[in-house]
Amino acid sequence: MTEAVIRLAAALQKLPSVGEKSAWRMALYLLEQDESVSHELAHALIEAKQRVCRCSRCFTWSETDICAVCSSENRDRTTLCVVERPRDMWILEQSGRYRGLYHVLGGVLSPMNGITADSLTVEQLRHRVATESIAEVIIGLGGSNEAETTAHYISRLLAEYPVTVSRFARGLSAGMDLEYADRFTLDQALNERRVINGGYR
Ligand SMILES: [Zn+2]
């Protein structure tokens, strides 16, 4: 096999859920296709990297400084849902059941892996709660131990502000990632959320 094909397969293998076999299958498939297929793929990759940035308010992916959700006039600005990644936000958006705002944390606390509050958007979250008209913060993190720790950390951090901090109901927080939650579970999770911290009102 030529060096270039080996490099292509190695690059493809860096993608999530792509093993060695799949990487080789994709590389050989691309070689057999018309050159325009590779051009389109390469162009889309570079364009996405160049055009997409973080929303400066909620930190989801956006092509504008403030994303469509944050700049929409039809959202409930008193409710903020904290999620781990933009994909969690998109899942909730697809469900169509949540009308509030979001805050993408960028991960969950995991000191063993070097992920501390400083490497997440925790301070930005605190700033938003302090300056925006938010009445309830819903912690929409998964059910891992790290997610639990993060939820409690956020709850303590926000204790000094007049906001209610709640969590998704058991269905979602008992070990299920948002990605795998079906619409019914999402509905239930949103409707039956439990309050961790009632704020000082
Ligand atoms: Zn945004």
CSV table of all heavy atoms in Angstrom, one decimal, residues 53-60 62-67 70:
chain,number,residue,atom,x,y,z
A,53,CYS,N,-17.7,28.7,15.3
A,53,CYS,CA,-17.1,29.1,16.5
A,53,CYS,C,-18.0,28.8,17.7
A,53,CYS,O,-19.1,28.3,17.5
A,53,CYS,CB,-16.7,30.6,16.4
A,53,CYS,SG,-18.1,31.6,16.2
A,54,ARG,N,-17.5,29.2,18.9
A,54,ARG,CA,-18.4,29.0,20.0
A,54,ARG,C,-19.3,30.3,20.2
A,54,ARG,O,-18.8,31.4,20.1
A,54,ARG,CB,-17.5,28.9,21.3
A,54,ARG,CG,-16.7,27.6,21.3
A,54,ARG,CD,-17.5,26.5,21.8
A,54,ARG,NE,-16.7,25.3,21.9
A,54,ARG,CZ,-17.1,24.1,22.2
A,54,ARG,NH1,-18.4,23.9,22.4
A,54,ARG,NH2,-16.3,23.0,22.3
A,55,CYS,N,-20.6,30.0,20.5
A,55,CYS,CA,-21.4,31.2,20.9
A,55,CYS,C,-20.8,31.8,22.1
A,55,CYS,O,-20.5,31.1,23.1
A,55,CYS,CB,-22.8,30.6,21.2
A,55,CYS,SG,-23.9,31.9,22.0
A,56,SER,N,-20.7,33.1,22.1
A,56,SER,CA,-20.0,33.8,23.2
A,56,SER,C,-20.9,33.8,24.5
A,56,SER,O,-20.4,34.2,25.5
A,56,SER,CB,-19.6,35.2,22.8
A,56,SER,OG,-20.7,36.0,22.5
A,57,ARG,N,-22.1,33.4,24.4
A,57,ARG,CA,-23.0,33.4,25.5
A,57,ARG,C,-23.2,32.0,26.1
A,57,ARG,O,-22.9,31.8,27.3
A,57,ARG,CB,-24.3,34.0,25.2
A,57,ARG,CG,-25.0,34.6,26.4
A,57,ARG,CD,-26.2,35.5,26.0
A,57,ARG,NE,-25.7,36.8,25.4
A,57,ARG,CZ,-26.5,37.6,24.7
A,57,ARG,NH1,-27.8,37.3,24.5
A,57,ARG,NH2,-26.0,38.7,24.3
A,58,CYS,N,-23.6,31.0,25.3
A,58,CYS,CA,-23.9,29.7,25.8
A,58,CYS,C,-22.8,28.7,25.4
A,58,CYS,O,-22.8,27.5,25.9
A,58,CYS,CB,-25.2,29.2,25.3
A,58,CYS,SG,-25.2,28.7,23.6
A,59,PHE,N,-21.9,29.0,24.5
A,59,PHE,CA,-20.7,28.2,24.2
A,59,PHE,C,-21.1,26.9,23.3
A,59,PHE,O,-20.3,26.0,23.2
A,59,PHE,CB,-19.9,27.7,25.4
A,59,PHE,CG,-19.3,28.9,26.1
A,59,PHE,CD1,-20.0,29.5,27.2
A,59,PHE,CD2,-18.1,29.4,25.7
A,59,PHE,CE1,-19.4,30.7,27.8
A,59,PHE,CE2,-17.6,30.6,26.3
A,59,PHE,CZ,-18.2,31.2,27.3
A,60,THR,N,-22.3,27.0,22.7
A,60,THR,CA,-22.5,25.9,21.7
A,60,THR,C,-21.8,26.3,20.4
A,60,THR,O,-21.3,27.4,20.2
A,60,THR,CB,-24.0,25.7,21.5
A,60,THR,OG1,-24.2,24.5,20.8
A,60,THR,CG2,-24.7,26.9,20.7
A,62,SER,N,-21.6,27.7,16.7
A,62,SER,CA,-22.4,28.7,16.0
A,62,SER,C,-21.6,29.3,14.9
A,62,SER,O,-20.4,29.3,14.9
A,62,SER,CB,-22.8,29.8,17.1
A,62,SER,OG,-23.5,30.9,16.4
A,63,GLU,N,-22.3,29.9,13.9
A,63,GLU,CA,-21.6,30.6,12.8
A,63,GLU,C,-21.6,32.1,13.1
A,63,GLU,O,-21.1,32.9,12.3
A,63,GLU,CB,-22.1,30.2,11.5
A,63,GLU,CG,-21.8,28.7,11.1
A,63,GLU,CD,-22.1,28.4,9.7
A,63,GLU,OE1,-22.0,29.3,8.8
A,63,GLU,OE2,-22.4,27.2,9.4
A,64,THR,N,-22.3,32.5,14.1
A,64,THR,CA,-22.4,33.9,14.5
A,64,THR,C,-21.9,34.0,15.9
A,64,THR,O,-21.9,33.0,16.7
A,64,THR,CB,-23.8,34.4,14.4
A,64,THR,OG1,-24.7,33.5,15.0
A,64,THR,CG2,-24.2,34.6,12.9
A,65,ASP,N,-21.6,35.2,16.3
A,65,ASP,CA,-21.0,35.5,17.7
A,65,ASP,C,-22.0,35.0,18.8
A,65,ASP,O,-21.7,34.3,19.7
A,65,ASP,CB,-20.7,36.9,17.9
A,65,ASP,CG,-20.2,37.2,19.3
A,65,ASP,OD1,-19.4,36.4,19.8
A,65,ASP,OD2,-20.6,38.2,19.9
A,66,ILE,N,-23.3,35.3,18.5
A,66,ILE,CA,-24.4,34.8,19.4
A,66,ILE,C,-25.2,33.8,18.6
A,66,ILE,O,-25.7,34.1,17.5
A,66,ILE,CB,-25.3,36.0,19.9
A,66,ILE,CG1,-24.4,37.1,20.5
A,66,ILE,CG2,-26.4,35.5,20.9
A,66,ILE,CD1,-23.9,36.8,21.9
A,67,CYS,N,-25.5,32.6,19.2
A,67,CYS,CA,-26.2,31.6,18.4
A,67,CYS,C,-27.6,31.9,18.2
A,67,CYS,O,-28.2,32.8,18.9
A,67,CYS,CB,-26.0,30.2,19.1
A,67,CYS,SG,-27.0,30.0,20.6
A,70,CYS,N,-29.7,31.7,21.6
A,70,CYS,CA,-29.5,32.8,22.5
A,70,CYS,C,-30.1,34.1,22.0
A,70,CYS,O,-30.5,34.9,22.7
A,70,CYS,CB,-28.0,33.0,22.7
A,70,CYS,SG,-27.3,31.8,23.8
